[in-house]
Amino acid sequence: MTGSGTTDALGFDGIPLAELCGETAVVPPGAGGGTAVPPEGPTPMEPARRMARQVQRAHASVLAAHRAISARQALLAGAGVFPGPRDDPGARARPDGPFAVLRVAAARLPDAAAPGVYEVSWRGQVPADPTGLHARLAGSGAGGPSCLVLDSDRRIVASIVRSAPDLPEREPGRRHVPDVPAEFRPLARTAVHRLSAQGLDALAAGDIAGVFGDAFDQGGLEPESLPERGPARLLEDIAIEPGGGPYGQGRLVACAEATRDTASVWPRLAAGATEALRVYVFHQGLHLCLPGARVVPSADRPMTIEVLDPAAAHANALRFTVEVTGLGLAPRPYVVADCEVTAAGRTVARLRDVGVTVRERPGADVTPHPGRTGCRRSASGGRAVLDELHLARMAEGDQAEVFAAYGARPTATPIRPRLPRGDLRMLDRCTRTEAGPAPDRAGSRLTAEYDVPADPWYCRESGAAGVPPFALMEMALQPLGLLGGLSGTAWKYPEQDFVCRNLDGRATLLREADPRAMTVGQDVVLCSSVPLPGAVIQRCDFELSTGGAAFCAGEATHGYFTAEVLAAQQGLDGGRYVAPWLERRPGRLAGALRPDPRHGPRVGTGRLALLDDVVVVPGGGDHGAGYVWCDKPVRDDDWFFDQHFAHDPVLPGSVGVQMLFQAVQACAVHTGLVDHLPSPRFTLAVGEELRWSYRGQILRHHRRVRGEAHLREVRREHDRLLVLADGSVWRDDLRIYQVDNIALAVRSGAGREAAR
């Protein structure tokens, strides 16, 4: 028989299991995956559609049976493996995994079929051959009876402790939900957010690109570098909501058949939740950086399984609602979640800290080496020199271990130059490096990539159209820090705190560009490197591009400083206090306005709500064209301190620049400059060079950040208003930033809104 056979998995009496679980899915042709399509209302063609669906389901059922028979025949014939993913994407994978391990434990623990609480700690690799597993009781303690599961070499795979349920006192507590959940960016994008049984089979068999799309294709790799096949599936259907759930990390809803073995209820529940996370691993592309990727249970924290109503699992289909509580890349890609399992509306169990980790095949070398590419594919189709895993570990972990082949040496302090973490990192892969001649390495080059999300947080929260200056500066400057690490500069002064700070720069927007949902190319050239006592000063040229065409270019000077040299910074005025223009004007200025930034037109929200107090003076300032002053307290829990940088928290200079852009925007709004434009739309001005100088830093213990901007010129052109200003930023009573030629273009947004 031929045909795709990709429909909803059949449940009981021919009813799709997804419908039994309260979900309706229509899966398009392909490898069994697809997005949910809402059912249409009654039409004259509805009877024909219903009949076609019934025929399609019957065809899928016969095809699934045919595949199962073929796979079984291959196994009995002595092949030892099931057909490959491309030859037979519907074939079941090997029947082992966490379920096999926990089922062995359940056979030894007393009262395994009764309600209870199980704490599972994974200690070793889940073996490929479940027949070598055995369990032994390890006695009873305060927590209850426990057992160890060992493999054929008597290595501990997992330890399980069972305690009697204390149901009246147990509450389904929820973790703390952060005010600003992290927005994890998947390593590959897919439009497939639902899988039927056939799609799950294909995924377990290794046909990841066939399920999720070409962005997941790893063609060209050696067979041993492809992901390891998964265990036999327990789930029949899964719906994926990336970024969903209360923690903003993802929500999965999966269905499985009722359990038949009364003694293996809790192992099946744990394995089902783990399988759902395995699907999410591949959906997010977490495997793409690791050769021979293996998804294994996480060993860094125990998993708790609270079985409340095992009887409900025997007669009804199971529904797994998985709320992802965290996912990331370092030290290895991981996903952790909580899960509630229900059957016919009754809560069967609650699981906490279900976790999986992605690891490379045993013996594989995942450290980068000059001139050697890895298994990660770049946006241009080649192989990356440094991938997302390397850069995440550079931001979070032991850099000397990651970059040993580039001359990195162990250091006496963790305070070293790093990349930003989390939502602040805007650098994904390095596709080319070229070292300049020793000793200063001038001429070194680096080409990198950043996959811009379709709806990045910094665009939603900036209060202006397009990509804000804060994000463009980070895209341009972060590769400079990576180049410093690859050229060896970051490893100088190994016995002292040594950090990287931007000093000066200039940048010009060359053309209007909207890189959302695109890959930005980042090119950097080291022009000079000057060693000084306790510091190294470097100057670099940079260029940002999309589709091979540059849209932003400039240069920047940055320095690598020991703690002693950095502490000697005296701001822009030699340590003297130079008051803002507003403070030098005694008494109340006529016409001064004090708008509330929290009401009326918003110039920034969420993390980019950078104006707490604002004073606008029409006709004020050094040029008599308008003036704006702003103020914001420094809080030790401000979002950027945890992300910029690990062990070295500091407010990014780009945030100070963004603050001044928002202040100029507020000035234009509240002085009536844009009243003639319906729905004014603020963007960065093309062709205007932004210039900045930094001579100080803002740390957790500082009290406030103040800024001012002097409007220098307002040009009314044929289709836009151009506002030009210069500004400064104070840390407490020290002026530390100067920003020149803040240029905002303002156009009417009414036509754009109508077009939408």
Side-chain angles (χ1 to χ4, degrees):
M1 297 179 65
T2 60
S4 66
T6 53
T7 64
D8 287 2
L10 291 179
F12 305 105
D13 298 325
I15 303 174
L17 190 67
E19 293 181 11
L20 288 172
C21 294
E23 301 282 346
T24 302
V26 178
V27 183
T35 54
V37 179
E40 300 178 356
T43 68
M45 293 296 293
E46 185 59 31
R49 288 196 184 99
R50 188 180 300 113
M51 182 176 295
R53 285 196 296 268
Q54 291 173 349
V55 171
Q56 192 177 25
R57 285 172 177 160
H59 173 74
S61 180
V62 173
L63 184 59
H66 172 73
R67 285 171 171 162
I69 292 171
S70 298
R72 182 65 176 169
Q73 288 174 339
L75 187 64
L76 292 176
V81 295
F82 289 95
R86 293 289 182 182
D87 298 328
D88 190 359
R92 292 288 182 101
R94 64 177 193 274
D96 56 28
F99 185 32
V101 175
L102 299 182
R103 189 165 50 183
V104 170
R108 293 300 305 269
L109 286 169
D111 300 323
V117 179
Y118 299 85
E119 186 177 271
V120 179
S121 299
W122 297 96
R123 299 188 183 180
Q125 179 181 345
V126 176
D129 181 8
T131 59
L133 294 171
H134 63 283
R136 62 178 176 83
L137 292 178
S140 281
S146 63
C147 77
L148 298 175
V149 179
L150 301 91
D151 62 15
S152 57
D153 294 325
R154 305 191 65 79
R155 293 172 298 193
I156 298 175
V157 178
S159 63
I160 299 95
V161 178
R162 184 190 190 281
S163 59
D166 192 6
L167 304 183
E169 298 181 7
R170 285 184 179 269
E171 295 293 336
R174 188 176 291 281
R175 303 172 189 273
H176 170 70
V177 179
D179 295 334
V180 184
E183 295 188 10
F184 183 81
R185 291 182 297 107
L187 275 62
R189 300 184 180 113
T190 180
V192 178
H193 303 306
R194 186 153 206 164
L195 299 182
S196 66
Q198 285 75 28
L200 291 168
D201 281 338
L203 193 66
D207 193 12
I208 303 166
V211 174
F212 289 129
D214 290 343
F216 298 77
D217 185 20
Q218 293 186 288
L221 292 181
E222 295 297 324
E224 64 270 16
S225 293
L226 295 174
E228 184 181 67
R229 296 188 182 188
R233 65 171 174 83
L234 299 175
L235 304 178
E236 299 292 334
D237 174 89
I238 187 168
I240 305 166
E241 183 186 352
Y247 308 100
Q249 306 302 294
R251 184 174 184 267
L252 316 170
V253 178
C255 300
E257 296 177 351
T259 62
R260 303 304 182 196
D261 182 0
T262 59
S264 63
V265 171
W266 67 267
R268 187 181 182 89
L269 302 180
T274 301
E275 182 182 337
L277 293 189
R278 186 179 189 277
V279 173
Y280 199 49
V281 160
F282 291 111
H283 182 275
Q284 297 291 289
L286 299 184
H287 62 291
L288 292 171
C289 293
L290 291 168
R294 303 159 47 241
V295 183
V296 299
S298 296
D300 57 344
R301 71 184 83 185
M303 169 177 57
T304 303
I305 310 159
E306 182 183 6
V307 182
L308 305 174
D309 189 356
H314 301 324
N316 303 284
L318 300 174
R319 179 186 179 94
F320 293 78
T321 301
V322 182
E323 296 174 349
V324 178
T325 58
L327 73 163
L329 295 174
R332 289 294 186 274
Y334 67 91
V335 185
V336 61
D338 294 339
C339 175
E340 182 175 70
V341 185
T342 57
R346 296 159 62 183
T347 300
V348 175
R350 299 188 187 101
L351 294 85
R352 191 175 178 91
D353 290 326
V354 186
V356 296
T357 300
V358 189
R359 297 198 173 275
E360 65 276 13
R361 71 174 184 273
D365 182 9
V366 296
T367 59
H369 293 266
R372 188 184 77 178
T373 59
C375 63
R376 177 68 166 122
R377 177 169 291 171
S378 68
S380 59
R383 301 292 176 187
V385 177
L386 299 169
D387 56 39
E388 290 90 337
L389 175 60
H390 297 135
L391 301 188
R393 294 181 65 194
M394 181 179 180
E396 306 274 356
D398 186 348
Q399 301 178 80
E401 175 186 327
V402 178
F403 293 104
Y406 287 85
R409 294 174 292 167
T411 59
T413 169
I415 303 178
R416 311 302 298 172
R418 294 177 181 270
L419 291 174
R421 313 159 78 187
D423 293 343
L424 196 51
R425 187 167 68 251
M426 300 182 194
L427 176 65
D428 286 332
R429 296 171 298 278
C430 177
T431 59
R432 183 173 69 94
T433 61
E434 181 180 329
D440 61 1
R441 298 297 182 189
S444 296
R445 308 178 70 93
L446 180 149
T447 301
E449 296 178 340
Y450 168 55
D451 298 328
V452 183
D455 185 26
W457 66 270
Y458 44 79
C459 289
R460 296 195 308 271
E461 299 178 8
S462 72
V467 178
F470 150 76
L472 287 176
M473 292 178 70
E474 291 298 325
M475 293 180 203
L477 299 181
Q478 289 183 21
L480 275 61
L482 178 59
L483 183 59
L486 297 179
S487 65
T489 306
W491 317 116
K492 294 183 181 294
Y493 307 99
E495 301 303 317
Q496 302 182 56
D497 295 344
F498 195 52
V499 300
C500 182
R501 296 289 187 269
N502 186 219
L503 296 174
D504 301 284
R506 57 186 182 88
T508 303
L509 191 64
L510 305 176
R511 60 180 175 88
E512 290 189 355
D514 187 353
R516 285 176 287 190
M518 302 178 70
T519 296
V520 170
Q522 301 158 295
D523 291 277
V524 178
V525 179
L526 177 62
C527 300
S528 65
S529 182
V530 180
L532 299 171
V536 180
I537 307 298
Q538 295 186 336
R539 185 177 68 82
C540 293
D541 290 341
F542 61 79
E543 183 178 274
L544 302 178
S545 61
T546 53
F551 69 89
C552 182
E555 68 174 37
T557 301
H558 60 283
Y560 293 87
F561 303 99
T562 61
E564 293 78 8
V565 172
L566 192 63
Q569 283 187 311
Q570 296 183 330
L572 291 163
D573 304 302
R576 296 179 297 109
Y577 176 57
V578 175
W581 180 90
L582 183 66
E583 196 173 297
R584 301 196 303 269
R585 300 304 183 270
R588 182 175 178 83
L589 291 172
L593 308 172
R594 199 168 202 132
D596 187 345
R598 295 166 297 182
H599 300 90
R602 300 298 300 274
V603 295
T605 60
R607 284 160 283 192
L608 294 183
L610 302 176
L611 308 181
D612 271 30
D613 194 9
V614 178
V615 175
V616 174
V617 184
D622 289 344
H623 311 290
Y627 172 86
V628 58
W629 171 93
C630 56
D631 178 87
K632 179 177 173 57
V634 177
R635 298 171 40 142
D636 62 3
D637 62 348
D638 277 327
W639 65 273
F640 40 75
F641 285 134
D642 284 336
Q643 299 187 6
H644 190 266
F645 305 95
H647 309 293
D648 176 29
V650 58
L651 181 144
S654 57
V655 170
V657 175
Q658 181 72 27
M659 182 183 191
L660 293 181
F661 268 88
Q662 290 184 355
V664 172
Q665 182 176 337
C667 185
V669 169
H670 293 290
T671 57
L673 288 177
V674 297
D675 285 354
H676 65 291
L677 296 172
S679 303
R681 180 175 179 269
F682 292 82
T683 61
L684 296 177
V686 174
E688 296 289 340
E689 183 181 82
L690 174 70
R691 299 179 295 277
W692 64 89
S693 294
Y694 304 149
R695 292 298 184 271
Q697 57 182 345
I698 300 170
L699 307 176
R700 292 185 192 269
H701 67 271
H702 291 122
R703 301 188 309 275
R704 59 197 297 219
V705 182
R706 294 182 293 165
E708 70 172 8
H710 303 261
L711 271 63
R712 177 165 37 85
E713 186 179 358
V714 178
R715 300 180 199 162
R716 286 180 170 81
E717 301 175 346
H718 63 285
D719 65 340
R720 70 172 185 172
L721 184 76
L722 182 63
V723 182
L724 303 173
D726 302 324
S728 296
V729 171
W730 280 256
R731 177 200 73 201
D732 297 337
D733 292 332
L734 192 66
R735 190 170 72 98
I736 60 172
Y737 299 172
Q738 181 171 320
V739 184
D740 294 329
N741 206 39
I742 302 166
L744 278 173
V746 195
R747 292 184 174 87
S748 171
R752 293 175 179 268
E753 295 298 326
R756 290 176 185 173

